[in-house]
């Protein structure tokens, strides 16, 4: 059977693109090669968002060419083929982001399929690159915002929402296959459906609008194929595990209608977790960034959300050293962060991106000033995180086990922790637990980003 090697770079949205391409290849009888040497052709799914990602993608293409020699390039960097061809003119083909059919056609041209219906079986949930117990659920492509530091709209186009019935059927297939956590992603999750005027589609015999809150409500109604028990705080079985999959919302812009989802979080229909890319705390900087919803009173809204849902966890990302950022504006950001008391925070030093409007702004911030501000920001964020995690010591939490270390420590995540970007809960004496299993633990210690725990007596 023909074999295809695959290299997937970039964000979770690109990972979902890779999963879709791999599912299509397997459905046509291609095998996925584990090494360059075993592959008849290699597909490299690239990232082109920032210069460091472009360099990583170009290096990956070069490695694939050196090790195999037959390389097809796709993904965000593929939207700028001249950058690729300038360095790697020997690639077999280049396609842009989410160009699934074009990638398949390129593979067909260079390695024709030899399909056998008995060997080309693909599970209903498709091929996934994540562990079996969690999956990314991409609900839209593209973005209508025009942030001055970002080139995503030029790479991936304007917002194109997937039909809500299609999204929900995919979610059902994933849950039926044993997925216990659905991570909802897009470029702008809270804008979902705006491009189709929130058109209704039929799902489970009812009309459901293609809208952010309706999607969250429907995902929160999904039952599960795992039956061991009740919601956190409710008893439904020995392990105290949820009766429905965790639903985690990422890339949510703070538009006014986001307030509606807090009720679902308070009821644990979806996880009390919001990933909101605030990017800065100074109104002047946000205006230069052209950020949507920057005029909203986010601090007041955060207070109202937490009042209604005390366990709500907020994750965000920020940029320091944006062109023209003054010391006073940076201090505004620190003051905003202290008042906001965000649970999970990431930070990037601004770097120019080819084609971004921000490149034309005056007064770039020197690299040494960026570095100093980054260190001060992270020191502030780390202190907030440490204090908030210390408040969890002594509590009993439901966690989802990701892996077991050789020493018998189970590595898990709580409702507050998205995979790969947030902290973990380390469970001593958790050797009997299994990856993908829910467990109840008592928190015994905390650090700057992670928690320590032990199993509750019923599981010891």
């Amino acid at each position: 059977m023909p074999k295809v090697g695959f290299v997937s770079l970039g964000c979770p949205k690109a990972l979902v693109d890779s999963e879709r391409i791999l599912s299509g290849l397997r459905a046509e009888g291609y095998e996925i090669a584990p090494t360059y040497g075993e592959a008849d052709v290699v597909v490299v799914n690239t990232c082109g968002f920032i210069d460091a990602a472009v360099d990583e993608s170009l290096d990956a293409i070069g490695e694939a060419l050196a090790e195999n020699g037959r390389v097809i390039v796709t993904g965000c960097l593929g939207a700028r083929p001249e950058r690729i061809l300038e360095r790697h003119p020997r690639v077999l083909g280049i396609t842009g982001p989410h160009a699934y059919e074009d990638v398949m056609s390129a593979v067909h041209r260079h390695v024709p399929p030899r399909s056998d219906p008995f060997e080309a079986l693909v599970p209903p949930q498709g091929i996934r690159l994540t562990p079996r117990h969690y999956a990314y659920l991409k609900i839209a492509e593209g973005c209508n915002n025009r942030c001055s530091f970002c080139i995503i709209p030029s790479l991936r186009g304007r917002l194109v929402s997937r039909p809500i019935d299609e999204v929900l059927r995919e979610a059902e297939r994933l849950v039926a296959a044993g997925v216990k956590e659905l991570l909802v992603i897009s470029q702008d999750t809270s804008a979902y459906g705006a491009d189709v005027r929130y058109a209704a589609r039929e799902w489970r015999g009812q009309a459901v609008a293609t809208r952010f809150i309706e999607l969250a409500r429907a995902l929160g109604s999904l039952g599960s194929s795992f039956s061991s028990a009740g919601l956190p705080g409710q008893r439904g079985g020995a392990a105290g595990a949820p009766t429905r999959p965790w639903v985690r919302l990422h890339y949510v812009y703070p538009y006014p209608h986001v307030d509606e989802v807090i009720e679902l979080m308070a009821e644990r229909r979806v996880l009390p977790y919001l990933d909101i890319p605030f990017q800065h705390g100074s109104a002047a900087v946000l205006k230069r960034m052209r950020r949507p919803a920057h005029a909203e009173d986010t601090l007041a809204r955060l207070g109202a959300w937490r009042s209604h849902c005390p366990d709500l966890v907020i994750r965000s990302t920020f940029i320091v050293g944006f062109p023209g950022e003054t010391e006073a504006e940076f201090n505004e950001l620190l003051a905003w962060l202290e008042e906001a008391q965000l649970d999970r925070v990431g930070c990037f030093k601004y770097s120019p991106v080819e084609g971004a409007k921000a490149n034309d702004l005056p007064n770039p911030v020197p690299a040494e000033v960026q570095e100093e501000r980054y260190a001060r920001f992270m020191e502030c964020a780390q202190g907030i995180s440490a204090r908030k995690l210390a408040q969890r010591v002594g509590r009993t939490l439901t966690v989802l086990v990701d892996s077991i270390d050789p020493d018998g420590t189970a590595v898990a995540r709580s409702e507050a922790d998205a995979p790969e970007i947030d902290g973990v809960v380390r469970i001593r004496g958790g050797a009997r637990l299994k990856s993908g299993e829910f467990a109840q633990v008592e928190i015994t210690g905390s650090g700057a980003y992670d928690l320590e725990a032990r199993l509750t007596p019923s599981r010891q």
Side-chain angles (χ1 to χ4, degrees):
M1 300 298 290
K3 294 184 177 181
V4 178
F6 209 98
V7 178
S8 184
L9 304 172
C11 66
K13 294 176 284 294
L15 186 74
V16 173
D17 291 344
S18 296
E19 291 174 340
R20 180 167 174 179
I21 295 167
L22 286 168
S23 295
L25 291 170
R26 287 293 290 124
E28 293 187 354
Y30 290 93
E31 293 185 15
I32 308 305
T35 66
Y36 288 121
E38 297 178 57
D40 297 305
V41 69
V42 176
V43 177
V44 180
N45 190 5
T46 60
C47 180
F49 180 48
I50 60 176
D51 288 348
V54 171
D55 292 340
E56 181 185 19
S57 294
L58 291 173
D59 288 346
I61 296 168
E63 179 180 295
L65 283 168
E67 297 292 331
N68 182 278
R70 294 166 59 80
V71 177
I72 295 166
V73 179
T74 188
C76 285
L77 187 57
R80 291 181 281 171
E82 69 284 353
R83 289 293 302 273
I84 300 168
L85 293 172
E86 179 182 0
R87 184 160 160 186
H88 300 300
R90 294 192 299 116
V91 296
L92 299 177
I94 301 173
T95 74
H98 52 86
Y100 314 111
E101 292 78 9
D102 292 340
V103 177
M104 298 295 290
S105 296
V107 173
H108 293 163
R109 282 196 301 273
H110 298 286
V111 185
R114 295 198 302 273
S115 183
D116 183 328
F118 293 101
E119 295 181 1
L121 298 177
V122 175
Q125 73 273 20
I127 303 298
R128 292 190 292 110
L129 301 177
T130 53
R132 293 183 62 186
H133 58 279
Y134 69 81
Y136 293 102
L137 183 65
K138 185 159 67 170
I139 64 172
E141 295 283 5
C143 183
N144 289 345
N145 300 315
R146 291 294 182 266
C147 303
S148 64
F149 57 84
C150 183
I151 59 170
I152 290 296
S154 64
L155 295 178
R156 288 185 167 261
R158 292 180 61 80
L159 175 71
V160 179
S161 300
R162 292 177 61 194
I164 192 167
D165 58 324
E166 177 184 306
V167 173
L168 293 173
R169 285 196 297 270
E170 180 182 350
E172 288 178 315
R173 290 193 298 271
L174 290 168
V175 172
V179 168
K180 299 182 181 180
E181 179 178 13
L182 297 169
L183 299 108
V184 179
I185 58 171
S186 67
Q187 301 296 339
D188 183 356
T189 296
S190 38
Y192 177 63
D195 57 308
V196 295
R197 299 184 180 182
Y198 311 109
R201 301 290 288 253
E202 185 176 336
W203 179 66
R204 292 184 174 180
Q206 301 180 53
V208 184
T210 305
R211 190 187 299 269
F212 169 71
I213 186 63
E214 297 300 328
L215 175 67
R217 186 175 290 116
L219 291 174
S221 73
L222 291 177
S224 69
S225 61
F226 46 97
S227 58
S228 58
L231 288 167
Q234 298 177 353
R235 303 304 298 176
T243 55
R244 60 176 67 92
W246 280 0
V247 176
R248 194 180 299 276
L249 302 175
H250 286 277
Y251 308 107
V252 177
Y253 283 77
Y255 304 131
H257 65 266
V258 172
D259 296 354
E260 301 176 50
V261 82
I262 304 302
E263 178 67 32
L264 299 178
M265 294 180 173
E267 297 172 353
R268 291 303 198 278
R269 296 287 173 178
V270 299
L271 290 182
Y273 178 104
L274 276 177
D275 173 14
I276 302 178
F278 289 118
Q279 303 296 12
H280 214 279
S282 164
V285 175
L286 289 168
K287 185 175 182 180
R288 294 199 295 275
M289 290 180 170
R290 300 182 184 176
R291 292 293 288 166
H294 74 265
E296 303 297 332
D297 189 350
T298 51
L299 289 173
R301 293 176 70 201
L302 287 174
W305 293 347
R306 286 167 170 156
S307 176
H308 190 63
C309 182
D311 288 334
L312 178 65
V313 168
I314 304 290
R315 132 165 287 279
S316 191
T317 51
F318 294 85
I319 297 173
V320 298
F322 190 76
E325 182 189 62
T326 65
E327 183 67 17
E329 289 168 342
F330 176 71
N331 286 328
E332 279 187 73
L333 169 60
L334 293 183
W336 189 95
L337 185 64
E338 283 285 3
E339 188 169 353
Q341 292 288 295
L342 302 183
D343 303 84
R344 303 295 194 191
V345 169
C347 182
F348 301 92
K349 291 167 283 188
Y350 174 78
S351 65
V353 177
E354 183 180 341
K357 297 295 185 182
N359 297 342
D360 300 328
L361 293 174
N363 305 316
V365 178
E368 62 273 16
V369 176
Q370 287 189 338
E371 192 66 43
E372 183 265 344
R373 288 178 182 173
Y374 173 83
R376 287 163 59 193
F377 180 93
M378 291 308 298
E379 181 181 11
C380 178
Q382 185 179 74
I384 294 170
S385 176
R387 291 191 295 273
K388 292 180 82 77
L389 290 180
Q391 296 172 3
R392 295 177 176 247
V393 175
R395 292 184 58 183
T396 297
L397 301 179
T398 298
V399 298
L400 181 57
V401 178
D402 281 332
S403 61
I404 309 297
D405 286 345
D407 66 357
T409 299
V411 181
R413 293 178 292 107
S414 71
E415 294 179 338
D417 308 306
E420 299 187 358
I421 57 174
D422 293 330
V424 297
V425 181
R426 300 188 182 279
I427 309 168
R428 295 184 181 275
R432 289 179 294 173
L433 296 173
K434 297 179 181 178
S435 176
E437 179 181 4
F438 282 109
Q440 284 201 317
V441 299
E442 179 186 347
I443 304 303
T444 58
S446 65
Y449 302 110
D450 300 331
L451 295 171
E452 295 181 1
R454 63 187 174 201
L455 291 169
T456 54
S458 63
R459 290 300 304 270
Q460 292 178 345

